[in-house]
Amino acid sequence: RFRSAFDNATIGMGVVALDGRWLQVNRSLCDIVGYDERELLASEVRAVTHRADLVALEEQMQRFVVGAISSHQTEVRYCHKSGKEVWAHLGMSLVRDGDARPLHLIFQIQDITDRKRAESQLLHDAFHDALTGLPNRALFMDHVKMAIQRSRRSGNRLFAALFLDLDRFKIINDSLGHMVGDQLLVGIAHRLEACLRPGDTVARLGGDEFTILLEDLSTTDDAIEVALR
């Protein structure tokens, strides 16, 4: 019954040796990482784990080996055979032998890539303007607060906040339509981004109002120079 449940589970399941080698894998796990059973059994967990998550994996595997923990849950990234990144919820459990010595691990892997993408998109939308893709008021104010804190720590560190309001923009919307007005706003956003230095921030507050945050200025003349571009 365990073998049937293992093979037919809708989530990825694998039996893993304490040194990281795959001992058994099911079809769902193969689908998640894109490798067939033969390929996985000839490799180890580290081979499909994203390099940024390898250190954390090694630490947890070592804790299992010494018997410090018997189970652990985490989120981890895997490298699909096609090269894409796969986010997964990983549950690891330790199996002991008759003498209570660590024998091997059971991995339960659920693909959560779609959920992570949705979370990332929601976070992006919360802090960016939907039309231009620029930071919105909330993100701009957060950057300003950080600039103020950095300036307080270093008294000689200058920054400037510029405000840009487009005069007579309503005439564009009334005469040519809102679609043309939106295209103009997007064009202005791109133009402003092209004028800035790496690390500077341009944001849209709403309507025809834009703001620019310039950091690491030597003198106030630097801000004037950017404003006149």
Side-chain angles (χ1 to χ4, degrees):
R1 282 196 292 266
F2 172 78
R3 182 68 192 189
S4 177
F6 182 92
D7 290 338
N8 298 302
T10 57
I11 65 172
M13 294 190 67
V15 179
V16 180
L18 296 178
D19 62 2
R21 291 177 295 110
W22 295 106
L23 301 178
Q24 290 177 253
V25 295
N26 70 351
R27 181 178 297 277
S28 294
L29 176 55
C30 294
D31 292 341
I32 289 173
V33 295
Y35 293 92
D36 61 34
E37 181 179 5
R38 178 183 56 82
E39 291 173 315
L40 283 179
L41 295 181
S43 66
E44 58 180 9
V45 174
R46 300 173 186 85
V48 294
T49 302
H50 193 285
R51 68 172 65 183
D53 295 330
L54 279 174
V55 172
L57 175 67
E58 294 282 3
E59 291 176 351
Q60 297 307 324
M61 293 283 286
Q62 185 59 34
R63 294 180 69 193
F64 277 113
V65 170
V66 300
I69 57 174
S70 58
S71 65
H72 180 70
Q73 295 188 50
T74 188
E75 291 183 356
V76 64
R77 286 163 291 180
Y78 291 112
C79 300
H80 192 275
K81 187 177 181 179
S82 66
K84 68 180 181 180
E85 182 179 281
V86 178
W87 274 97
H89 180 272
L90 169 63
M92 297 183 285
S93 301
L94 178 66
V95 177
R96 300 177 183 272
D97 62 16
D99 297 320
R101 292 174 300 191
L103 185 61
H104 54 248
L105 302 171
I106 300 294
F107 274 34
Q108 294 178 302
I109 300 171
Q110 182 177 4
D111 189 343
I112 59 171
T113 303
D114 289 343
R115 192 194 82 192
K116 296 296 288 189
R117 286 175 179 166
E119 290 174 354
S120 178
Q121 187 62 49
L122 285 173
L123 183 61
H124 180 274
D125 292 347
F127 293 102
H128 290 81
D129 175 56
L131 176 63
T132 63
L134 294 178
N136 61 13
R137 181 189 298 269
L139 184 54
F140 182 78
M141 294 306 299
D142 184 64
H143 284 194
V144 170
K145 290 177 182 177
M146 290 190 292
I148 293 173
Q149 292 173 357
R150 285 191 288 265
S151 179
R152 286 174 177 171
R153 288 196 300 266
S154 177
N156 59 351
R157 193 166 187 169
L158 300 179
F159 70 92
L162 311 181
F163 180 79
L164 174 64
D165 183 15
L166 304 181
D167 291 335
R168 296 182 295 278
F169 179 73
K170 187 176 183 298
I171 297 176
I172 301 295
N173 280 336
D174 292 344
S175 61
L176 300 177
H178 288 280
M179 183 175 294
V180 174
D182 288 348
Q183 292 174 348
L184 177 61
L185 290 173
V186 172
I188 291 172
H190 291 164
R191 184 69 176 269
L192 291 174
E193 287 181 305
C195 293
L196 300 184
R197 308 162 305 169
D200 292 336
T201 302
V202 57
R204 183 188 177 207
L205 298 187
D208 59 0
E209 297 177 344
F210 295 83
T211 51
I212 299 172
L213 177 64
L214 306 175
E215 297 194 65
D216 294 324
L217 301 177
S218 299
T219 66
T220 55
D221 291 339
D222 293 340
I224 297 174
E225 180 182 346
V226 174
L228 295 178
R229 288 182 181 178

